[in-house]
Amino acid sequence: MEKVLVTGALGQIGSELTMTLRDIYGSANVIATDIRSTESDVVHSGPFEVLDVTDEKALFHTAKKHGVDTIIHLAALLSAKAEASPMLAWNLNMGGLVNALEAARLLDCQLFTPSSIGAFGPSTPKAGTPQDTIQRPTTMYGVNKVAGELLCDYYFQKYHVDTRSLRFPGLISYKTPPGGGTTDYAVEIYYEAIKRKRYTSYIAEGTYLDMMYMPDALTAIVALMEADPTRLVHRNAFNVSAMSVEPEQIAAFIRKKIPEFVMDYQVDPVRQAIAESWPDQLDCSCAREEWGFEPAYNLENMTEDMLTKIESSLSVNQ
Ligand code: SER
């Protein structure tokens, strides 16, 4: 990875990954793109272009013009939004990915795109979900993710495009909100804990889902992209997770810092049904063995960091 094009660079992952990549590879070597522009570090700290990933020619020409050797394709709709607009999700998630893969094939680029716990479904084993197992998701987002994993494998096998991917769990971060996912509650809870000392969860008590703190997700992307390809038995996509948690557990750790924090529940049937169709806890042994995945954050140190960072960012912005 020397010169990188990032799509969806203003999203939850992109806004932090772009800055991390600019630190490592140099600002001029990370070309950030998104469907819109904003007043932000990503737009002002290095090259930025407005790019619609469903425009095949525009994606190809942007990658060609900058002479990139890597495409990090992040532009996509998350699960709850995809369920509300399935055709939009199909067109954006699949159309964008195939355009990114074609650009990677024609320009001989390495390609990363995230998969998700959403690539699993109700018939997948819930506990210790294996790397290789049943994938019959019941959401449009999941259908896109499984098709995306297969398409990336196809481009690797048929065209030798160096495709690599991670099945991300819910990603928790304090810089850019996720927006439209099923696991968003695990981000919102920290903001509401600081602002109102109270949170109403739309996911039911006792619903376990895998989660990971954003710094571990960023480290994992770079580690996988730089990994020795001869060690990779799998490619699209590796199970990764740092914790399996349910809402009450997050609340309990928040209460260690904010004892008066109160949580109640108003379950959203759509997002609850999506959450129940996903695994409780992934087996990440292939990621550990094939490229050394090792998350640094658990629920305890992530909660401390989230509360501290959100508190200081809210007080600066007051
Ligand atoms: N965080 C994502 C979502 O909830 C899962 O990959 O849609």
Side-chain angles (χ1 to χ4, degrees):
M1 221 175 4
E2 285 180 8
K3 197 152 193 188
V4 188
L5 179 84
V6 182
T7 72
L10 297 175
Q12 189 200 13
I13 301 175
S15 60
E16 297 199 40
L17 182 64
T18 300
M19 303 309 284
T20 299
L21 295 176
R22 283 183 175 156
D23 280 347
I24 301 173
Y25 301 97
S27 293
N29 294 321
V30 181
I31 294 82
T33 70
D34 206 291
I35 188 89
R36 72 218 144 95
S37 182
T38 54
E39 287 302 315
S40 59
D41 289 348
V42 166
V43 172
H44 295 300
S45 66
F48 178 86
E49 297 210 17
V50 170
L51 173 68
D52 175 356
V53 294
T54 63
D55 183 338
E56 182 185 357
K57 288 198 178 79
L59 204 166
F60 172 80
H61 286 299
T62 308
K64 186 168 183 203
K65 182 175 79 182
H66 290 280
V68 299
D69 62 23
T70 305
I71 298 174
I72 308 261
H73 176 59
L74 304 174
L77 233 53
L78 286 179
S79 58
K81 273 204 179 150
E83 230 25 56
S85 309
M87 278 317 294
L88 174 66
W90 178 266
N91 290 332
L92 172 59
N93 294 0
M94 299 314 301
L97 177 59
V98 82
N99 290 344
L101 282 164
E102 273 297 282
R105 175 177 77 83
L106 295 167
L107 300 169
D108 195 19
C109 295
Q110 202 186 9
L111 181 135
F112 174 87
T113 195
S115 186
S116 161
I117 50 173
F120 298 114
S123 52
T124 303
K126 273 199 173 299
T129 306
Q131 172 66 39
D132 300 309
T133 186
I134 302 165
Q135 290 183 267
R136 306 285 298 172
T138 48
T139 62
M140 177 50 94
Y141 180 72
V143 169
N144 297 165
K145 289 303 185 189
V146 175
E149 289 187 7
L150 294 173
L151 200 57
C152 287
D153 274 349
Y154 180 80
Y155 269 73
F156 172 63
Q157 280 149 14
K158 188 166 176 96
Y159 302 120
H160 310 292
V161 177
D162 185 356
T163 55
R164 306 182 186 195
S165 176
L166 300 169
R167 288 181 189 133
F168 279 134
L171 294 180
I172 297 174
S173 64
Y174 57 86
K175 288 195 179 140
T176 306
T182 301
T183 57
D184 297 10
Y185 88 88
V187 176
E188 291 167 6
I189 189 172
Y190 290 106
Y191 282 90
E192 296 302 304
I194 298 279
K195 288 193 214 161
R196 279 177 267 282
K197 307 198 181 329
R198 174 169 213 114
Y199 180 64
T200 303
S201 174
Y202 60 79
I203 293 293
E205 184 176 354
T207 310
Y208 281 84
L209 286 169
D210 283 290
M211 301 282 170
M212 181 151 76
Y213 201 27
M214 188 61 86
D216 283 329
L218 305 179
T219 307
I221 293 171
V222 174
L224 174 62
M225 292 304 274
E226 296 290 5
D228 174 357
T230 62
R231 284 183 65 198
L232 300 181
V233 180
H234 298 87
R235 281 177 167 270
N236 305 293
F238 284 94
N239 286 2
V240 285
S241 171
M243 62 198 89
S244 164
V245 298
E246 58 98 18
E248 278 300 317
Q249 290 174 321
I250 306 180
F253 276 95
I254 289 174
R255 270 186 220 109
K256 288 188 182 185
K257 285 251 175 191
I258 308 173
E260 62 274 42
F261 177 68
V262 175
M263 179 140 91
D264 50 22
Y265 292 87
Q266 199 172 345
V267 173
D268 167 13
V270 174
R271 283 177 290 184
Q272 181 64 26
I274 296 175
E276 283 175 16
S277 78
W278 290 351
D280 289 355
Q281 182 238 322
L282 302 183
D283 175 344
C284 307
S285 50
C286 290
R288 283 196 295 274
E289 283 156 23
E290 294 174 37
W291 50 274
F293 172 62
E294 207 188 330
Y297 286 91
N298 55 28
L299 182 55
E300 184 163 19
N301 55 6
M302 177 184 78
T303 298
E304 277 168 24
D305 203 57
M306 278 293 281
L307 293 175
T308 310
K309 298 282 174 34
I310 293 170
E311 193 157 32
S312 62
S313 79
L314 291 178
S315 65
V316 167
N317 293 326
Q318 260 168 15

